[in-house]
Amino acid sequence: GWDAIHDGVRYVQAALAQPSERLARWHALKVGEFGLKGPLLIWSSDSGFAPKLTCRWSGYYEHHAREPHRVFELAKYAAGLFQKTDSRATTCEPDFSHEGSDGHPAGNRRLPKDPVLAG
């Protein structure tokens, strides 16, 4: 998921994903409690815009600058899914240390049941 403000504009992306994707990548897809406790609230006539939510990748970019020159790097957890066709291609390990000791390492982790359908 994504919840970020750029140049004064708030961008929210809440991927619904296929059930198999949620099982494998819920840690990277979730937007706050969206799907676990009902629909994603963006605006309320009582209180206005909902507070900014915690999201893995928008949080990553709040702590790490974008580096567009690193276009030939692919995360180690994804590299095995693709055939290397360019000699400049390398692997990297995204740094999620800003999430603290509870932060999960990057990559896929299979959940025992779909977090959206389970509730």
Side-chain angles (χ1 to χ4, degrees), residues 30-112:
K30 68 181 179 174
V31 178
E33 297 297 318
F34 169 59
L36 300 176
K37 296 184 177 179
L40 177 61
L41 178 66
I42 300 291
W43 171 264
S44 165
S45 58
D46 293 331
S47 57
F49 282 106
K52 189 173 173 309
L53 300 166
T54 300
C55 301
R56 183 150 221 206
W57 283 105
S58 56
Y60 177 88
Y61 287 111
E62 288 171 2
H63 293 88
H64 304 286
R66 288 202 174 266
E67 299 176 279
H69 61 280
R70 296 175 67 186
V71 297
F72 292 100
E73 292 183 16
L74 186 61
K76 286 181 184 178
Y77 61 86
L81 302 173
F82 301 95
Q83 179 182 356
K84 183 176 178 176
T85 59
D86 192 303
S87 62
R88 297 170 290 180
T90 62
T91 60
C92 65
E93 190 70 46
D95 175 14
F96 288 100
S97 60
H98 65 276
E99 293 181 349
S101 60
D102 292 337
H104 299 289
N108 291 343
R109 288 178 304 287
R110 196 119 186 110
L111 297 177

